Amino acid sequence: MLEDIGDGTAAATRLAGGAPLQGTLDVSDPGDWLTLDAGVREVAWYGPQFLPEWEVSAPLPADLTQLGESWLALALCHRDGRIRQEAVRQSARYPGLLPLVVIRCADWAGPVRECARQVLREALDVDTALDLAPLILRVGRRGRGGFGVDVLGQVLGRASHGQLVALFADPDRVVRRFAYRLAIEGRLLSSGELARAAARDEDTVVQDLCATAALTALGDQGAYEEVLPPLLCARSPRTRSAGVTGLRRTGQSEQAESFLSDRSALVRACARYVVRQLGGDPVAWYRERCTAPDILELPPGAVIGLGECGNRVDAELLWPLLAHPAAGVRARAVAGLRALDCVDAKQLRPLLDDPAAGVVRETAIALLPSAKELPADWLLERTGCEHPRHVRVGAFRLLDARGGIEALRAAVGLLEDPDAKLRTWAGQSVQRWRPSPDVRRGDAEVGELLDRSRHLFSDHVLRRRKREAGVGS
């Protein structure tokens, strides 16, 4: 694999020495072809007086008709447009050079570009298009690369389902998107196959394409049992939400109720819509779950769901859940109170010592607007190394939002924290610190704290920071 232009230049030197393309670069990797092209033409960026070693020792002949594959590859990448154009004409003798012809289809020189496009149009069939699709789509992102993508679409529009299967599993998500669009336009995939693809693929664009197409085809085919289960069981929230919305179209809206407590806010919102369309009341459903006798089995999604669609009165159902044994429920209860705008800093403050990082994170977010109401010394104590990392992060986040000398004091203290990421955050906080109106001008402690963090500033910036705070340099 060629990783940079230097590797491309080294590969060009080996090709000039007679090395075959196979072995010099990975001919199945689009990146290797692009790197070779850039490596050969690097000299053009500095001027013709800086010729590469291979071109000085053995320059290309004027007649390219006798060149072998390796030398013709160099000619196809040459800095001189006339040489590139002639090399494109000669490339038909070596089908293995078609990837470089693809690159030349986006060449900056018009004659080279037009010649390459003619060659590509004549040479491209379904089999070669399948092999070249990743490279064509990569080149297609360039300013003049649209031609190759158009030709690729025309050729692969004639491909069968079996021929496109290889592209569905390509590691490049752009290739998968292209292949699935072709398959959907050509109606090559059943609704069940589209649903399974939406559930399987990790790319959100492919998920949306296939899920939407599966539900559209569902109206025509009615194969509910093949489409909805893969969508509803998918890991991706976008795909699950599409399946939940599809329940209404299939007359199975009652199943949406089980998704009211989904872990994803998007899925919960879609489930509430479907339940309401059926005449149900999601708020009542959430209230019932949050007050059920078997509270230990309470799903966290039901707690935050109440916060999302309830009213301020429902806060009374969430406060007791702050002591729930499940960390997920405690965290969602805090988030629900924040969504209902019912945060009480005094009641939430003890949760900054919670053993679960998720609970502390949600608590810190909820308390940010009330940061100045919290005791600074109490927060500063929790930035000490004897506390867990998540407690130190939560306390520092609130102190940083509080500002003033307390924020500077906490940030400077954390510059020696054992956690590298927290040290970085603290350093950034020190660098952006400015004295707020409540910082006493000329406070000696400010000067001392800035001196302890002088490695974060240039001498000029440090003097300016001190001058802003009214302390001597």
Side-chain angles (χ1 to χ4, degrees):
M1 179 178 178
L2 309 183
E3 296 182 355
D4 52 35
I5 289 180
D7 288 346
T9 303
T13 301
R14 292 196 295 274
L15 291 175
L21 279 173
Q22 291 277 1
T24 302
L25 65 157
D26 182 353
V27 295
S28 64
D29 184 356
D32 275 22
W33 290 105
L34 293 167
T35 303
L36 173 66
D37 178 54
V40 174
R41 291 187 299 108
E42 182 185 16
V43 64
W45 304 337
Y46 301 105
Q49 66 272 28
F50 298 101
L51 293 177
E53 179 182 347
W54 64 266
E55 195 170 352
V56 173
S57 59
L60 288 171
D63 182 9
L64 304 185
T65 58
Q66 303 303 315
L67 289 183
E69 185 180 47
S70 297
W71 270 95
L72 195 55
L74 298 176
L76 280 164
C77 306
H78 200 272
R79 67 183 186 280
D80 189 323
R82 289 165 296 186
I83 294 178
R84 295 199 302 277
Q85 182 179 2
E86 180 60 25
V88 169
R89 294 194 182 101
Q90 300 298 325
S91 64
R93 295 186 285 119
Y94 299 103
L97 295 178
L98 198 54
L100 291 175
V101 174
V102 169
I103 298 174
R104 295 283 69 82
C105 286
D107 199 281
W108 69 270
V112 178
R113 193 166 60 243
E114 294 306 318
C115 184
R117 291 176 176 183
Q118 182 63 33
V119 172
L120 182 65
R121 191 183 292 109
E122 295 172 355
L124 206 62
D125 56 24
V126 172
D127 291 334
T128 54
L130 291 170
D131 293 335
L132 292 174
L135 176 60
I136 292 175
L137 293 171
R138 284 273 293 270
V139 176
R141 303 170 197 172
R142 297 182 174 183
R144 306 175 186 89
F147 172 85
V149 178
D150 292 341
V151 173
L152 181 68
Q154 295 169 13
V155 173
L156 289 185
R158 304 191 295 268
S160 65
H161 171 273
Q163 290 172 311
L164 287 177
V165 165
L167 299 186
F168 295 154
D170 195 279
D172 188 339
R173 61 185 179 181
V174 175
V175 176
R176 299 200 303 278
R177 293 172 185 177
F178 186 84
Y180 277 115
R181 286 192 179 102
L182 287 177
I184 291 169
E185 291 172 4
R187 296 179 175 268
L188 299 179
L189 296 173
S190 68
S191 56
E193 289 173 318
L194 288 167
R196 289 190 291 274
R200 179 179 62 247
D201 203 284
E202 297 179 355
D203 180 56
T204 56
V205 174
V206 172
Q207 292 166 8
D208 289 346
L209 275 173
C210 293
T212 302
L215 292 174
T216 301
L218 186 63
D220 300 333
Q221 301 173 16
Y224 306 147
E225 67 284 351
E226 294 184 12
V227 174
L228 291 181
L231 297 180
L232 295 173
C233 297
R235 292 183 59 189
S236 165
R238 300 173 71 94
T239 306
R240 289 202 308 281
S241 66
V244 170
T245 305
L247 288 171
R248 180 169 175 260
R249 296 179 52 192
T250 62
Q252 304 179 51
S253 300
E254 65 281 355
Q255 293 187 31
E257 194 173 83
S258 62
F259 291 89
L260 289 172
S261 59
D262 194 272
R263 62 184 181 274
S264 164
L266 175 62
V267 177
R268 292 193 299 269
C270 289
R272 288 194 291 268
Y273 165 77
V274 174
V275 169
R276 289 191 184 106
Q277 295 300 307
L278 190 63
D281 185 359
V283 179
W285 188 92
Y286 287 130
R287 288 170 179 160
E288 181 182 350
R289 296 302 178 281
C290 290
T291 56
D294 192 9
I295 198 68
L296 292 178
E297 300 299 323
L298 176 64
V303 180
I304 184 59
L306 181 59
E308 289 168 341
C309 67
N311 53 52
R312 292 174 65 88
V313 175
D314 294 311
E316 298 302 320
L317 302 180
L318 297 181
W319 284 113
L321 299 179
L322 297 178
H324 195 277
V329 172
R330 297 197 302 276
R332 298 302 181 275
V334 175
L337 289 167
R338 180 165 62 90
L340 294 172
D341 195 21
C342 292
V343 172
D344 185 315
K346 187 174 181 180
Q347 292 192 60
L348 287 184
R349 197 179 89 183
L351 289 175
L352 288 173
D353 289 323
D354 196 279
V359 177
V360 175
R361 181 169 55 251
E362 289 290 349
T363 303
I365 294 173
L367 291 176
L368 280 175
S370 311
K372 289 186 177 295
E373 301 174 18
L374 302 173
D377 291 342
W378 184 86
L379 289 173
L380 187 62
E381 177 189 348
R382 275 150 184 77
T383 62
C385 293
E386 66 275 11
H387 291 277
R389 179 188 183 276
H390 64 273
V391 173
R392 302 201 305 275
V393 169
F396 175 60
R397 187 172 188 178
L398 291 167
L399 284 166
D400 189 47
R402 180 189 183 98
I405 192 170
E406 293 87 357
L408 181 61
R409 194 181 294 147
V412 173
L414 287 170
L415 292 177
E416 299 179 358
D417 192 90
D419 184 80
K421 185 175 289 188
L422 192 48
R423 290 198 304 271
T424 300
W425 291 341
Q428 293 169 343
S429 177
V430 173
Q431 289 173 324
R432 66 173 177 265
W433 184 86
R434 294 291 190 282
S436 57
D438 59 344
V439 175
R440 183 167 54 86
R441 187 167 179 78
D443 191 333
E445 185 185 3
V446 173
E448 178 189 348
L449 291 171
L450 290 173
D451 282 335
R452 286 173 56 187
S453 56
R454 67 168 54 248
H455 63 284
L456 298 173
F457 304 99
S458 66
D459 291 341
H460 169 70
V461 173
L462 181 61
R463 285 195 299 271
R464 189 172 65 189
R465 291 284 188 278
K466 288 186 172 184
R467 189 163 56 249
E468 291 173 359
V471 296
S473 57

